[in-house]
Amino acid sequence: MSEEIDLEELKRQTSHGDRLDSDADNDQQQALADAILTELERIDAGEEQKTVSIWDGPTAAYIRALDEHPDQRAEVGDALRRQLDIDGDEPVDRSELVRFALRLGFRQAAPDKFETLKESVQKHVTQDL
């Protein structure tokens, strides 16, 4: 019985509709990549800022409290670096802490979209080579 299920699943995955769904997903990923590249170019041209703001009391309180306890901020920063495979010996500053936390959250929540970001940044950096 499980062989029959596996064959049916294989048929479903390779059916015409699934290929179309995959093409639509690829088109959406490419649209996101193009939008990221456009925004990176706007930032480089000075048309947009690099800053991002959030309105969140508990997060603001947590970050400020970590500022008052640099040893604990260093622990959190080191943990974020490990999760993101980022090397570094210096303690993270406030901006890095927030940046790493956002990146880790995006990577865990939507790894395919995060990969699109990484690929877009690499393409942007190497465009003029």
Side-chain angles (χ1 to χ4, degrees), residues 67 90 107 111 127:
D67 285 345
E90 297 294 317
R107 187 182 81 177
Q127 276 180 336

Side-chain angles (χ1 to χ4, degrees), residues 5-97:
I5 293 172
D6 292 341
L7 289 174
E8 288 303 316
E9 179 65 17
L10 182 60
K11 285 180 188 177
R12 189 189 65 72
Q13 290 175 355
T14 58
S15 71
H16 185 66
D18 286 341
R19 191 185 88 246
L20 292 176
D21 291 344
S22 178
D23 289 346
D25 289 345
N26 289 338
D27 290 346
Q28 289 177 350
Q29 289 294 96
Q30 186 58 51
L32 178 61
D34 292 344
I36 292 168
L37 282 171
T38 298
E39 290 302 319
L40 287 168
E41 290 166 3
R42 291 174 53 105
I43 289 168
D44 285 351
E47 297 171 11
E48 291 292 339
Q49 295 184 8
K50 292 182 182 182
T51 59
V52 174
S53 299
I54 61 168
W55 187 270
D56 187 296
T59 301
Y62 180 58
I63 292 167
R64 286 189 201 115
L66 288 173
D67 285 345
E68 294 175 18
H69 296 90
D71 55 328
Q72 292 184 44
R73 183 177 67 201
E75 287 178 31
V76 173
D78 289 344
L80 289 166
R81 277 186 178 144
R82 279 192 305 277
Q83 289 291 316
L84 292 166
D85 297 320
I86 296 173
D87 293 328
D89 295 328
E90 297 294 317
V92 297
D93 62 22
R94 176 190 274 205
S95 180
E96 286 176 309
L97 187 78

Side-chain angles (χ1 to χ4, degrees), residues 115-128:
E115 190 61 33
T116 299
L117 168 63
K118 285 174 51 177
E119 291 169 2
S120 296
V121 169
Q122 288 173 345
K123 183 176 181 178
H124 178 71
V125 169
T126 60
Q127 276 180 336
D128 296 330

